[in-house]
Amino acid sequence: MQLQKLVYTEDHLQLINRAFLYGDAVWVSFFVRNGQLIMAEESYFFLMASMRKMRMNIPLSYTLEFFQALFEREVLEKGIRNGIIQMMAYRKQEEKPLPKSATAFYFEVEESEDILGIQGDIELDLIKEINVNANLLSNIRVHSAENIYATIYAKENDLDDVILLNPNKKIARSIFGNLLFLQDNVIKIPKQTEGAYISPLMENFVTFVHKNKLADIEEAEIIAFESQKAEEILRISDEKGVHSVSKIRNKTFANNRFTEMVTKWKASFDEHQTN
């Protein structure tokens, strides 16, 4: 069966808009699993928080119910069973002063495998030429020249992703998501104050692990060398899903324990959907 890809724009997409001209936009993901929206409330509140951080005018019509009905009509009823809805909210290019500019949105969704399952293994390396900031806007998905540079660097070096550091040489995140480092019974996660993304998908996983006492969770400042000390590494990306890290430079990593945790996490959603 051929997988679908859908694209939706609110009203008519203006080619001359502030997202196109200035990167004046935010990206947030919504998740479809087994023909249902999951974590919709968490994604919606992250969308509202991201728009507020970018000082966007949020229309009164942008309610959780509005987006649930929209995705039901434009995604689920068109046969998408599993996938990630990549939604971009942006400021229109208008004569009005910026704070009063109207906002619009665009989204696309490509059908995929179960977004809660491990999609496969990826290979990373550290990039030292650039770093990412650690401020109010570093935690949300906004235009990032650093991401563009790092994406090209990764492709030129046959990598799937790279580890990005902040100005203090601590691990912030990867291009596409957050990194979780497992050693003994502790999962270390870079702090948001270090430049890590806010991620509804990762937060749901970490909460499940904590509640079920599968490992201890530690938000920490992590130096680059610690990536080599980890026994297993997981990348959770709201954009691309869940992947285990198989290799960084010359070191290879197992994925047994994270695979077991992710399997239990996925099963908890199956139990919820059948009840």
Side-chain angles (χ1 to χ4, degrees):
M1 184 182 71
Q2 188 173 4
L3 299 178
Q4 294 190 70
K5 180 172 183 177
L6 303 177
V7 173
Y8 177 92
T9 58
E10 184 185 28
D11 301 324
H12 298 288
L13 180 65
Q14 299 173 303
L15 290 179
I16 306 301
N17 63 67
R18 291 186 58 81
F20 170 74
L21 293 170
Y22 310 112
D24 186 2
V26 297
W27 286 94
V28 171
S29 299
F30 288 79
F31 307 101
V32 177
R33 182 171 188 265
N34 295 337
Q36 296 181 31
L37 273 177
I38 61 170
M39 294 181 263
E41 189 170 306
E42 295 97 317
S43 295
Y44 169 75
F45 285 122
F46 182 42
L47 171 63
M48 294 297 102
S50 297
M51 291 180 72
R52 281 194 294 271
K53 285 181 179 180
M54 282 293 285
R55 299 184 177 275
M56 289 184 174
N57 179 28
I58 303 177
L60 294 176
S61 61
Y62 283 17
T63 63
L64 173 59
E65 292 73 22
F66 167 79
F67 287 110
Q68 285 174 318
L70 175 69
F71 296 144
E72 178 75 31
R73 183 179 71 247
E74 299 294 335
V75 179
L76 303 183
E77 290 182 5
K78 293 186 177 178
I80 297 289
R81 294 281 300 165
N82 293 282
I84 298 174
I85 301 169
Q86 294 285 346
M87 179 176 164
M88 180 180 73
Y90 62 94
R91 239 183 297 257
K92 293 182 178 179
Q93 177 75 354
E94 296 182 323
E95 295 300 321
K96 297 176 183 177
L98 272 185
K100 296 188 181 299
S101 292
T103 55
F105 63 83
Y106 153 97
F107 72 77
E108 61 183 46
V109 54
E110 190 163 5
E111 204 167 16
S112 66
E113 301 296 327
D114 186 345
I115 56 100
L116 297 184
I118 293 180
Q119 306 294 314
D121 296 335
I122 58 174
E123 183 175 342
L124 309 184
D125 200 351
L126 186 70
I127 188 169
K128 295 181 179 178
E129 291 92 329
I130 58 173
N131 55 49
V132 294
N133 291 322
N135 59 38
L136 179 72
L137 301 181
S138 303
N139 310 130
I140 62 177
R141 290 304 302 263
V142 293
H143 170 72
S144 169
E146 293 82 3
N147 278 359
I148 296 169
Y149 180 98
T151 300
I152 296 169
Y153 175 93
K155 289 196 176 295
E156 289 177 345
N157 289 277
D158 295 323
L159 299 167
D160 300 296
D161 203 341
V162 297
I163 299 172
L164 291 160
L165 306 179
N166 63 27
N168 296 320
K169 307 301 180 186
K170 302 292 196 307
I171 293 176
R173 55 174 175 80
S174 76
I175 301 167
F176 302 109
N178 292 321
L179 299 168
L180 295 76
F181 302 90
L182 175 64
Q183 187 173 3
D184 298 325
N185 198 46
V186 177
I187 297 175
K188 285 189 177 182
I189 306 167
K191 295 179 179 179
Q192 289 177 12
T193 52
E194 297 298 303
Y197 284 136
I198 297 171
S199 165
L201 191 64
M202 187 191 76
E203 288 177 8
N204 192 288
F205 173 72
V206 167
T207 299
F208 174 82
V209 169
H210 174 71
K211 283 185 175 179
N212 289 274
K213 300 180 179 178
L214 302 179
D216 294 327
I217 306 297
E218 181 183 332
E219 287 190 309
E221 297 178 6
I222 304 174
I223 61 174
F225 177 71
E226 286 194 62
S227 66
Q228 296 286 296
K229 292 167 56 180
E231 296 163 9
E232 298 187 15
I233 304 175
L234 196 69
R235 184 193 72 184
I236 298 185
S237 165
D238 285 12
E239 178 183 345
K240 293 184 174 291
V242 182
H243 291 80
S244 58
V245 175
S246 61
K247 188 177 181 182
I248 299 177
R249 296 190 176 175
N250 294 322
K251 177 163 182 184
T252 58
F253 299 89
N255 64 3
N256 301 327
R257 294 175 62 196
F258 267 134
T259 298
E260 184 179 342
M261 292 178 203
V262 170
T263 300
K264 291 179 179 178
W265 178 48
K266 186 167 64 170
S268 72
F269 279 85
D270 293 330
E271 291 168 8
H272 179 73
Q273 288 185 326
T274 55
N275 287 339

